[in-house]
Amino acid sequence: MKYISTRGQAPELTFDEAMLTGLARDGGLYVPESVPQMSAAEIAALEGLSYEEAAFRVMRPFIGESFADDEFRAIIERAYAGFGHAARAPLKQLDSGHFLLELFHGPTLAFKDFAMQLIGQLFQTALARRGERVTIVGATSGDTGSAAIEAFRGLKNVDVFILYPHGRVSEVQRRQMTTPSESNVHALAVDGDFDDCQARLKDMFNDFDFRDGVRLAGVNSINWARVLAQVVYYFTSAVSLGAPHRKVSFTVPTGNFGDIFAGYIAKKMGLPIDRLVVATNQNDILHRCLSGQGYHKGPTHPSVSPSMDIQVSSNFERALFDAYNRDGRAVAQLMDELKAGGFEVSQGAMEALRESFDSGRASEAETLATIKATLAQSAELICPHTAVGVKVADEQRVAGVPMITLATAHPAKFPAAVEEASSVHPPLPPRMADLYDRPERVTRIANDLAALQDHIKGHIGA
Ligand SMILES: *Cc1c(COP(=O)(O)O)cnc(C)c1O
């Protein structure tokens, strides 16, 4: 299995090389050269398996020779052992045709644990075998950073630096990043917004001297291994509702387009998905683009669903790559135009995107109203990101096709918004009830490439 860059100018890599590299050297994102297929019989055979065994079967064809079967099975076991629910990704029913896929039973209470816990174990195994050490730098709007720190804390061959926008993450998110005491964990509060953090991260990857000097590795949602880990729960949930004999649809609260892109891969592998619905908050650049208005950056408006407050949706590049018939040069040009503010999507590419994706948006008021209504109607307390999904899903459902909305975080991760909407204070699960008592450790830093690079160089292996 070979991986190629969406901009067509970087070397082809194996799975483990693409994972350790993150962003391709031409600025592009790695994608599999071709998507492995699962037959209807293979999909049907997933029914009743443990989450771990289903994960092995779905991901194995993408791994190539990078990990032996026994090794890969053991990695998956370790990755999900710390989850607080035996089903890992349980389905809950909201009403007759609408289901919630609960993806928040991992150690940091958001779906990012599914990918990050796996990637931590994959990195550890690959680096130990190579006798190498890497510096992981990530940018986060809140959930990626806490998930990365939780996955890499204390690992021997890794330093992890996380850039988050100062003052723009929830207190639970911040504390999950600033309270781990391991010396290989470094939380950096940047004076800027999430797009600034993501831009500085890209700058670091494009500075090859720095990149090679500190052995930079990325675990942001552009890392292919993360997308792959997220493909699994599309299969397990669809199968439990009758796939491959029945079609299902998914609605996905979307920011960086990683989670929904995993659904697109599941569909390409052969899972009978009817519709994939992109749900955005008031930062609705993806919804506008998928509605034919081009992709044009604007200011980011802080919302009650901060993990989706994004203008540059990194993984959308992967969808564009396919929509432009895998023409790396065309994608590279669009991304150049994006730096200057935005781009128009060609008519052919627009048709391809509309073939795969529907979209909708939820305003702040609609998000809060949905939290309240869902509690009243279905006795479920949902987080604001999930509420964006539920609102859009309700608009887009069609009779006869079950709709699965991805519940991307636990309500206790965003207590202020949940309480404002519902008057109910969502308690933290008992296993992390002392989060507010643990001491914090964080460095406040300017939105400046040189300052960040100096700090990182000075704190590796500390
Ligand atoms: C990251 C995140 C999202 C957005 O996921 P993408 O893969 O970036 O589209 C939605 N909800 C929550 C809670 C998140 O942490």
Side-chain angles (χ1 to χ4, degrees):
M1 171 62 73
K2 281 281 172 204
Y3 288 83
I4 59 172
S5 165
T6 50
R7 300 195 193 171
Q9 302 292 320
E12 292 183 0
L13 300 180
T14 61
F15 175 80
D16 57 328
E17 289 167 344
M19 174 183 82
L20 292 170
T21 301
L23 195 68
R25 290 184 94 89
D26 59 3
L29 278 55
Y30 278 102
V31 289
E33 195 174 31
S34 63
V35 172
Q37 298 298 299
M38 274 181 87
S39 67
E42 287 169 321
I43 295 170
L46 298 176
E47 202 196 330
L49 297 181
S50 68
Y51 186 85
E52 285 79 354
E53 178 60 23
F56 175 80
R57 295 192 191 184
V58 170
M59 293 192 285
R60 180 69 192 86
F62 290 90
I63 304 294
E65 308 300 310
S66 292
F67 297 93
D69 284 359
D70 286 354
E71 195 175 41
F72 191 44
R73 277 207 161 86
I75 284 169
I76 294 170
E77 288 294 332
R78 286 198 298 275
Y80 299 119
F83 276 50
H85 197 300
R88 310 310 184 212
L91 260 190
K92 275 230 178 110
Q93 192 159 6
L94 284 183
D95 67 24
S96 55
H98 194 175
F99 297 80
L100 274 186
L101 180 57
E102 291 187 351
L103 301 176
F104 50 70
H105 294 285
T108 70
L109 307 180
F111 83 91
K112 296 195 171 69
D113 288 323
F114 276 88
M116 212 61 88
Q117 287 292 320
L118 185 78
I119 230 183
Q121 298 301 325
L122 289 168
F123 262 68
Q124 167 153 308
T125 304
L127 290 171
R129 185 164 59 209
R130 291 157 173 245
E132 290 176 7
R133 180 181 181 89
V134 297
T135 304
I136 287 172
V137 183
T140 186
S141 53
D143 292 331
T144 299
S146 49
I149 285 173
E150 196 56 51
F152 287 97
R153 62 192 287 187
L155 293 190
K156 286 215 162 24
N157 300 342
V158 177
D159 271 295
V160 54
F161 293 84
I162 297 297
L163 282 53
Y164 70 84
H166 176 71
R168 297 208 189 191
V169 300
S170 81
E171 185 170 3
V172 174
Q173 289 176 320
R174 189 191 75 233
R175 286 181 170 275
Q176 285 180 335
M177 293 188 275
T178 58
T179 57
S181 57
E182 288 84 353
S183 62
N184 72 327
V185 168
H186 313 269
L188 302 176
V190 176
D191 287 311
D193 62 18
F194 170 66
D195 287 300
D196 293 324
C197 295
Q198 190 157 258
R200 294 299 78 71
L201 181 69
K202 283 200 173 157
D203 293 343
M204 287 187 225
F205 272 93
N206 288 325
D207 178 343
F208 292 145
D209 284 344
F210 177 78
R211 178 173 179 168
D212 296 337
V214 303
R215 303 240 25 178
L216 196 61
V219 295
N220 260 64
S221 67
I222 56 115
N223 194 302
W224 170 257
R226 283 191 51 191
V227 174
L228 178 59
Q230 294 164 3
V231 173
V232 174
Y233 45 69
Y234 287 90
F235 277 91
T236 58
S237 59
V239 166
S240 69
L241 290 185
H245 315 295
R246 178 162 82 150
K247 284 193 167 192
V248 300
S249 292
F250 288 91
T251 298
V252 186
T254 300
N256 251 329
F257 212 80
D259 212 3
I260 185 112
F261 191 77
Y264 168 83
I265 293 293
K267 188 171 181 176
K268 280 186 92 166
M269 289 174 74
L271 186 65
I273 295 177
D274 187 32
R275 301 307 314 168
L276 280 169
V277 184
V278 172
T280 72
N281 66 23
Q282 60 184 355
N283 297 292
D284 59 354
I285 185 165
L286 283 166
H287 172 52
R288 282 184 281 124
C289 179
L290 291 168
S291 309
Q293 298 175 43
Y295 195 99
H296 299 282
K297 283 191 281 187
T300 305
H301 299 290
S303 78
V304 292
S305 45
S307 302
M308 295 154 53
D309 290 348
I310 284 171
Q311 296 296 321
V312 180
S313 187
S314 321
N315 278 290
F316 194 50
E317 179 168 344
R318 289 189 161 109
L320 289 168
F321 184 58
D322 276 4
Y324 279 83
N325 297 316
R326 307 205 128 201
D327 177 352
R329 251 195 302 182
V331 172
Q333 186 180 337
L334 295 180
M335 294 302 127
D336 274 346
E337 290 173 30
L338 180 58
K339 275 193 199 140
F343 56 84
E344 298 299 327
V345 181
S346 74
Q347 196 185 335
M350 206 55 232
E351 277 164 22
L353 288 171
R354 296 292 313 179
E355 182 70 33
S356 300
F357 302 104
D358 290 297
S359 67
R361 60 123 47 197
S363 69
E364 294 292 276
E366 287 166 335
T367 303
L368 295 175
T370 303
I371 293 174
K372 188 174 182 186
T374 304
L375 182 63
Q377 288 158 18
S378 309
E380 287 296 328
L381 197 55
I382 57 175
C383 93
H385 307 78
T386 306
V388 168
V390 167
K391 186 263 177 186
V392 171
D394 269 330
E395 287 167 358
Q396 305 253 348
R397 283 159 65 186
V398 293
V401 183
M403 175 63 85
I404 300 173
T405 295
L406 272 50
T408 51
H410 191 286
K413 209 160 182 184
F414 303 94
V418 171
E419 192 164 355
E420 182 190 342
S422 66
S423 307
V424 177
H425 182 78
L428 282 169
R431 62 201 155 100
M432 48 194 75
D434 68 338
L435 187 64
Y436 287 89
D437 304 327
R438 300 179 202 156
E440 294 189 75
R441 192 166 54 87
V442 58
T443 303
R444 178 126 175 227
I445 194 159
N447 172 26
D448 176 74
L449 180 61
L452 284 160
Q453 289 177 326
D454 284 346
H455 182 87
I456 289 169
K457 281 192 234 156
H459 287 80
I460 293 172

